[in-house]
Amino acid sequence: MALAAAADAQTAIKKKTAAAKSWILLDSTGQGTILDVDKYAIMHRVQIHARDLRILDPLLSYPSTILGRERAIVLNLEHIKAIITADEVLLRDPTEENVVPIVEELRRRLPSEYVVNQAQIEGREIISGQHDAEAIEEDESPFEFRALEVALEAICSYLDARTTELETAAYPALDELTSKISSRNLDRVRKLKSAMTRLTARVQKVRDELEQLLDDDDDMADLYLSRKLAGASSPVSGFGIPNWIPGSPTIGSKISRASRASAATIHGNENDVEDLEMLLEAYFMQIDGTLNKLTTLREYIDDTEDYINIQLDNHRNQLIQLELFLSSGTVCLSLYSLVAGIFGMNIPYSWNDKHGYVFNWVVIISGVVCALVFIFIIAYARHKGLVGS
């Protein structure tokens, strides 16, 4: 009984460990906290459905996806699996080799300029109120866009680096194959072509997702989490400070006019997606350039394959010509053998007595006739273009 209870407890611990996944939580100040929680805790925290969280499961094969939900952005771009809200980022598997640089970049770029400069603003004496107002009125991207930009930049750079590595290995291998056709070179190019096909599919998925977002303004509007949160928390007749601006009495007193103007802009242009569109277009052009590199490499591979096929066809034609020469020679020798066979029969000939010179004439005439027949066959083949000149 004790052993059975211990086994059941160990099984429960294993199940609980398997259910819990490693996440890192990054807030608006760039501070990170490691979370070992299950999917239900994540769903409750960011208020998304299980089907959305399932997209981030590495055990399931889902294409690259950027989904805008009411209070979160679900991001699945290759190894980048994240959930972005208006004030925090949840990133899966933060200890993975390809994810660690993204975590460091998020720590550096997520903090708002207001947070970075808050101590300096509060510590120095106000020289000009107008100057502070103008400084606050400077445009700054919302938190979710800063996080989204880091993810897009990371995945575009990652795919471009893989493409560069593939180009570095592929072009010399293709050039070597054209100079020497061998089983080793053919197998090497085959592996490179398979890797290129897989990489092209990955780049194409990311490009298609960005293109789909750019083609639909409603989908882009769903990614404005701060604007939706500000619209939900503010009354229709009033205006409030967007929640991605850190709350500070000093800053709040200085930027009241700017915040009212910003809120008016938010409420008056709920369908304005120009900022996000420019952001997505920049990385769409970058990923499209990567896809163009792969397309150029594919065309180079196709050209190399065509060249190899031409070479093989040429060798095949040379073998056919050699076979034609040998077959023609065999036919002529068969005629010569026929004459020799006829005269070699054990039949008495009266004209063969005391006429030994006849043997010499038969050999000479038969050889000349066979040679003429061979020359005629080759000339006819050249005339019809069956063999090269």
Side-chain angles (χ1 to χ4, degrees):
M1 293 294 292
L3 292 176
D8 292 340
Q10 188 174 4
T11 303
I13 293 174
K14 288 182 178 180
K15 289 182 178 180
K16 183 176 181 180
T17 304
K21 303 298 180 181
S22 179
W23 296 77
I24 185 170
L25 172 66
L26 296 165
D27 57 19
S28 58
T29 63
Q31 299 297 321
T33 304
I34 299 296
L35 301 177
D36 288 327
V37 295
D38 57 15
K39 62 180 181 180
Y40 300 104
I42 297 296
M43 290 165 53
H44 178 72
R45 184 181 186 91
V46 299
Q47 298 184 8
I48 60 174
H49 296 289
R51 65 175 180 269
D52 297 329
L53 189 60
R54 198 174 295 120
I55 296 175
L56 306 180
D57 193 341
L59 301 178
L60 301 177
S61 179
Y62 278 92
S64 296
T65 307
I66 302 175
L67 296 178
R69 293 297 182 250
E70 184 63 28
R71 296 190 178 182
I73 299 174
V74 182
L75 197 67
N76 178 29
L77 298 174
E78 295 286 328
H79 53 274
I80 304 175
K81 303 180 184 299
I83 302 174
I84 303 172
T85 66
D87 54 5
E88 63 185 18
V89 177
L90 285 165
L91 190 63
R92 187 163 191 165
D93 300 328
T95 57
E96 187 180 343
E97 180 182 359
N98 294 325
V99 180
V100 172
I102 302 172
V103 175
E104 297 301 323
E105 189 68 13
L106 286 172
R107 291 180 188 273
R108 186 179 69 85
R109 295 172 58 176
L110 281 184
S112 170
E113 292 295 331
Y114 300 109
V115 175
V116 174
N117 298 326
Q118 182 175 358
Q120 299 177 359
I121 293 175
E122 292 179 350
R124 67 170 179 251
E125 189 177 6
I126 300 176
I127 299 175
S128 174
Q130 180 66 24
H131 174 74
D132 291 338
E134 292 176 355
I136 297 300
E137 287 175 0
E138 293 180 356
D139 183 31
E140 179 180 299
S141 298
F143 174 85
E144 64 270 18
F145 288 176
R146 298 199 298 275
L148 180 62
E149 183 176 5
V150 171
L152 291 175
E153 180 180 341
I155 192 60
C156 290
S157 301
Y158 174 81
L159 293 175
D160 186 68
R162 301 290 81 75
T163 301
T164 302
E165 292 176 1
L166 185 62
E167 286 179 327
T168 304
Y171 284 114
L174 292 170
D175 294 337
E176 184 178 354
L177 180 62
T178 55
S179 61
K180 181 182 179 182
I181 302 175
S182 63
S183 299
R184 174 181 171 274
N185 291 337
L186 286 172
D187 184 66
R188 182 183 176 189
V189 171
R190 179 189 62 82
K191 293 179 180 178
L192 289 172
K193 185 176 181 181
S194 300
M196 184 206 64
T197 302
R198 293 191 297 269
L199 182 58
T200 301
R202 294 161 60 188
V203 173
Q204 186 69 51
K205 288 177 182 178
V206 177
R207 181 189 179 278
D208 290 344
E209 183 63 24
L210 293 179
E211 184 178 19
Q212 182 179 355
L213 274 176
L214 287 170
D215 290 340
D216 195 330
D217 290 348
D218 293 335
D219 288 344
M220 285 192 288
D222 289 338
L223 303 183
Y224 278 79
L225 303 180
S226 298
R227 186 165 66 186
K228 290 190 292 186
L229 190 60
S233 61
S234 301
V236 177
S237 58
F239 305 110
I241 300 175
N243 76 318
W244 47 269
I245 299 178
S248 170
T250 306
I251 296 178
S253 60
K254 296 176 183 177
I255 66 171
S256 58
R257 184 178 61 181
S259 63
R260 287 196 298 269
S262 176
T265 303
I266 289 175
H267 287 279
N269 300 289
E270 293 182 353
N271 295 324
D272 181 17
V273 294
E274 183 179 358
D275 294 339
L276 179 58
E277 186 175 7
M278 289 189 296
L279 173 65
L280 295 178
E281 280 181 351
Y283 292 102
F284 176 80
M285 295 300 295
Q286 183 175 349
I287 200 69
D288 190 59
T290 303
L291 185 61
N292 289 336
K293 291 182 182 179
L294 292 171
T295 303
T296 303
L297 179 58
R298 174 178 289 276
E299 292 175 353
Y300 193 83
I301 292 177
D302 292 340
D303 293 341
T304 304
E305 289 179 348
D306 293 340
Y307 177 76
I308 297 301
N309 290 330
I310 291 173
Q311 281 189 326
L312 295 177
D313 290 340
N314 183 43
H315 294 162
R316 192 178 300 111
N317 291 336
Q318 292 177 353
L319 291 175
I320 293 174
Q321 292 180 17
L322 178 61
E323 184 180 2
L324 177 61
F325 289 136
L326 295 176
S327 299
S328 301
T330 303
V331 170
C332 295
L333 290 176
S334 299
L335 295 176
Y336 196 80
S337 300
L338 177 62
V339 175
I342 292 174
F343 282 93
M345 291 181 182
N346 191 16
I347 300 175
Y349 298 101
S350 58
W351 52 268
N352 195 25
D353 298 336
K354 300 179 181 179
H355 296 86
Y357 63 89
V358 176
F359 174 77
N360 296 330
W361 281 106
V362 170
V363 173
I364 294 172
I365 294 173
S366 298
V368 171
V369 170
C370 291
L372 291 175
V373 171
F374 180 77
I375 293 173
F376 174 77
I377 293 174
I378 298 303
Y380 178 79
R382 289 183 185 279
H383 176 69
K384 293 297 184 180
L386 300 178
V387 295
S389 58

